[in-house]
Amino acid sequence: MTGGTDAVAGQARHRLDVAAAAVRLYAEQGYEATSADQIAAAAGLSRSTFFRQFRSKEDVVFADHDTLLGQAEEFLAEPHDDPWDAVCRAAELVFAHFASLGDLAQLRYQVVTREPGLRDKELVTTFRYERLFQRYLRRTVPGVDPLDAVRFAATVIATQNYCLRGLMRGEAGFSAARLRAELDAVRRLFGVAPAGAVAHDAGAAASGGTRAAGGAAGAGDDIVVAVFPRSAAPAEVARTIEDTLRRGS
């Protein structure tokens, strides 16, 4: 089992090394001026081996996304008490990978930004993550409206990409902690944050947040009040109330 895991990790590192060689050549020479033969030579591959591993000059730039999608899918296949949170954590895994690349991530961002064909390819890759998250939510959240799954997945990806682009541009303040805070805000927006993790103010419900609070009405009598956006999924309403009751018991 360990040997198989090591082999997969080694293959992922190899693909990333080839992608790094391609990105550096694109940055130095320009995308159009760089041939597949040059990339193969820089990575120590034959031309035929390069095309067996990568379908095109475009695909090699995004070689690690196949691995990342697989890792995200494996993570989501594990048991999770909160599917909405699991989607956010999967997005964080992708962010962490690119954050670990340092200067290479910034260089790739510059190359992709300059080339329309690469920007289009990046959009296609983004949709693959969205579809993965949509399918997961529809499978794991009882009674979820399919459109809610679409909206939530798209918003998580848009938030992740916003933070990732800030990181790749070298802007201050874009970190894993910042992404987590922004994704927590997304959960509040959709009314799927744990009751104890949201703001207890009058604007929470209006902004799409979920509030739940308990208070004593008299000796031995408890009243639990829960406020939800109209669009909240029934399963999420029930789960939030259950969480509140358990904390009060």
Side-chain angles (χ1 to χ4, degrees):
M1 187 69 159
T2 302
T5 302
D6 290 344
V8 171
Q11 184 181 32
R13 284 193 298 271
H14 166 72
R15 290 174 66 83
L16 182 58
D17 288 343
V18 179
V23 166
R24 292 189 178 103
L25 285 172
Y26 294 158
E28 293 169 4
Q29 304 177 174
Y31 176 74
E32 294 297 339
T34 301
S35 68
D37 288 340
Q38 289 174 317
I39 299 170
L45 302 175
S46 68
R47 188 176 191 277
S48 59
T49 300
F50 174 84
F51 280 110
R52 277 201 303 271
Q53 296 180 359
F54 309 96
R55 293 181 293 272
S56 68
K57 282 171 46 178
E58 292 177 356
D59 286 335
V60 70
V61 177
F62 306 98
D64 45 0
H65 278 293
D66 286 337
T67 301
L68 289 170
L69 279 159
Q71 291 174 348
E73 191 165 12
E74 288 178 7
F75 173 76
L76 293 175
E78 298 171 2
H80 296 284
D81 293 334
D82 185 345
W84 307 96
D85 179 65
V87 166
C88 294
R89 301 294 83 87
E92 289 178 19
L93 291 175
V94 179
F95 181 91
H97 166 76
F98 288 105
S100 73
L101 298 182
D103 292 344
L104 178 60
Q106 294 184 21
L107 189 62
R108 177 158 71 173
Y109 174 77
Q110 294 167 11
V111 168
V112 170
T113 300
R114 287 199 303 262
E115 298 296 333
L118 295 179
R119 291 201 302 271
D120 291 344
K121 182 71 175 180
E122 184 180 44
L123 286 173
V124 172
T125 302
T126 296
F127 291 145
R128 293 175 67 190
Y129 288 104
E130 285 189 24
R131 287 195 296 269
L132 172 64
F133 294 169
Q134 292 169 26
R135 290 196 304 268
Y136 170 74
L137 290 172
R138 293 179 68 176
R139 187 176 71 251
T140 57
V141 180
V144 68
D145 187 321
L147 186 55
D148 285 341
V150 170
R151 288 170 173 157
F152 186 81
T155 306
V156 165
I157 291 297
T159 302
Q160 178 220 57
N161 285 342
Y162 176 82
C163 291
L164 195 54
R165 290 187 182 109
L167 177 76
M168 290 179 173
R169 287 192 295 263
E171 298 176 7
F174 287 96
S175 63
R178 166 74 181 277
L179 175 61
R180 171 161 293 195
E182 298 296 351
L183 290 177
D184 286 346
V186 170
R187 295 175 66 200
R188 292 196 296 272
L189 178 67
F190 280 84
V192 293
V198 300
H200 292 268
D201 60 21
S207 64
T210 301
R211 294 187 290 117
D221 290 328
D222 290 334
I223 296 176
V224 175
V225 178
V227 181
F228 304 89
R230 188 182 299 275
S231 61
E236 292 306 314
V237 173
R239 184 173 64 80
T240 303
I241 293 175
E242 181 180 7
D243 288 346
T244 303
L245 291 172
R246 284 177 176 172
R247 283 196 303 276
S249 60

